Amino acid sequence: MNTQAQEQEHLPATSTNVDASEIDKFSQLAHKWWDKNSEFKPLHDINPLRLEFIDNYAQLAGKKILDVGCGGGILSEAMAKAGASSVTGIDLAKKSLKIAQLHAMQEQIGNISYRMVSVEDLAAEIPASFGAVTCMEMLEHVPDPGSVVRACAQLVQPGGVVCFSTINRNTKSYLQAIIAAEYILKLMPQGTHDHRKFITPAELARLCRQAGLEWLGSSGFTYNLLTRRYHLTDRLDVNYMIACRRPLD
């Protein structure tokens, strides 16, 4: 039985907003999640910037946090160490979750837990349960990003913050995020991204409004080829993050 079939066997029965090929893609790389010189190096490099952005809007200290599409737990662990009262990471890639759980045990992080559940199922199970919700580098990997946005909005408490990150859809993002990152610089495996699934800031803003979220702010990432470092920027033309708030009821 191939890897994809094995992963599909373990997907929750009600999980429809999932691309099995995407799960398989990350499952094959699961053992490399915490290798900072592997295909996941870009995530390790941008993680301090992601944490800074999220904490600026959500004030993580003392809050119950949900990390949607947590993968191997890179961001989840950072938020747990930043003072969150608890962090729950969810994903549908079983192998990635196993890596996340093992690494948290090794680091002796007690305020973190992981579940294999879809964000839609969790929203139906425990709505309005988290002080903040993060969903980073995931929307461009699912068939229906709007469904994920709605579920995140349902899971955060009134007055709570939801943070998303994804990739803009334009010629520049195709050249930088796919041609340069995957084929020239080899920062990540070829085929990691599909340009057709990228989401413009206007499209994401509309999905957030439709889900009842209020836009708070945004920031982009820029990569310096000389220093090989990422920095935050006001430009949203390639990789970008947004923060929204669920209004008080």
Side-chain angles (χ1 to χ4, degrees):
M1 184 180 294
N2 62 32
T3 303
Q4 182 171 331
Q6 290 173 334
E7 289 294 336
Q8 283 181 288
E9 281 185 350
H10 297 283
L11 291 177
T14 56
S15 298
T16 58
N17 188 25
V18 59
D19 184 335
S21 65
E22 294 283 356
I23 298 295
D24 182 50
K25 184 189 305 178
F26 288 99
S27 294
Q28 291 182 24
L29 296 170
H31 63 289
K32 296 184 178 181
W33 270 106
W34 287 95
D35 180 353
K36 295 182 180 180
N37 294 310
S38 72
E39 291 88 343
F40 293 110
K41 175 177 170 54
L43 286 185
H44 286 281
D45 289 345
I46 67 173
N47 204 50
L49 301 177
R50 297 192 300 180
L51 182 64
E52 176 186 341
F53 178 86
I54 294 165
D55 195 33
N56 182 50
Y57 286 100
Q59 287 84 52
L60 295 169
K63 287 199 171 104
K64 186 177 179 182
I65 311 298
L66 175 68
D67 187 17
V68 179
C70 64
I74 296 172
L75 178 61
S76 298
E77 284 198 13
M79 293 192 293
K81 291 178 179 178
S85 63
S86 69
V87 176
T88 301
I90 65 171
D91 205 290
L92 292 178
K94 184 178 181 180
K95 291 182 179 179
S96 294
L97 287 175
K98 284 184 177 179
I99 295 297
Q101 290 167 338
L102 286 172
H103 197 270
M105 289 176 60
Q106 291 171 357
E107 294 292 308
Q108 298 183 328
I109 303 174
N111 59 335
I112 193 168
S113 62
Y114 294 98
R115 287 187 60 183
M116 187 175 175
V117 62
S118 72
V119 65
E120 291 91 350
D121 286 350
L122 192 65
E125 177 187 335
I126 50 170
S129 294
F130 299 92
V133 175
T134 62
C135 180
M136 317 299 276
E137 287 80 45
M138 177 187 162
L139 294 177
E140 68 272 21
H141 295 289
V142 297
D144 183 2
S147 175
V148 174
V149 173
R150 290 191 297 273
C152 289
Q154 293 164 5
L155 280 159
V156 76
Q157 297 165 351
V161 171
V162 182
C163 293
F164 298 103
S165 71
T166 188
I167 308 176
N168 200 345
R169 188 180 65 257
N170 52 42
T171 301
K172 184 176 181 179
S173 68
Y174 175 74
L175 293 174
Q176 289 193 6
I178 296 181
I179 300 301
E182 296 183 15
Y183 290 86
I184 299 175
L185 299 176
K186 301 187 184 303
L187 296 175
M188 54 193 69
Q190 294 179 12
T192 298
H193 293 113
D194 181 344
H195 188 257
R196 295 169 297 180
K197 294 182 178 180
F198 289 176
I199 304 167
T200 69
E203 290 168 344
L204 184 51
R206 183 175 67 252
L207 292 176
C208 290
R209 286 196 304 272
Q210 291 172 345
L213 296 173
E214 299 174 342
W215 183 286
L216 293 177
S218 61
S219 183
F221 294 110
T222 183
Y223 182 71
N224 189 310
L225 289 171
L226 296 177
T227 63
R228 291 184 174 267
R229 289 180 177 273
Y230 291 89
H231 302 278
L232 293 179
T233 176
D234 292 334
R235 297 179 63 88
L236 310 182
D237 43 1
V238 186
N239 299 79
Y240 68 96
M241 302 178 286
I242 72 163
C244 298
R245 177 186 289 118
R246 175 176 172 177
L248 293 171
D249 292 340

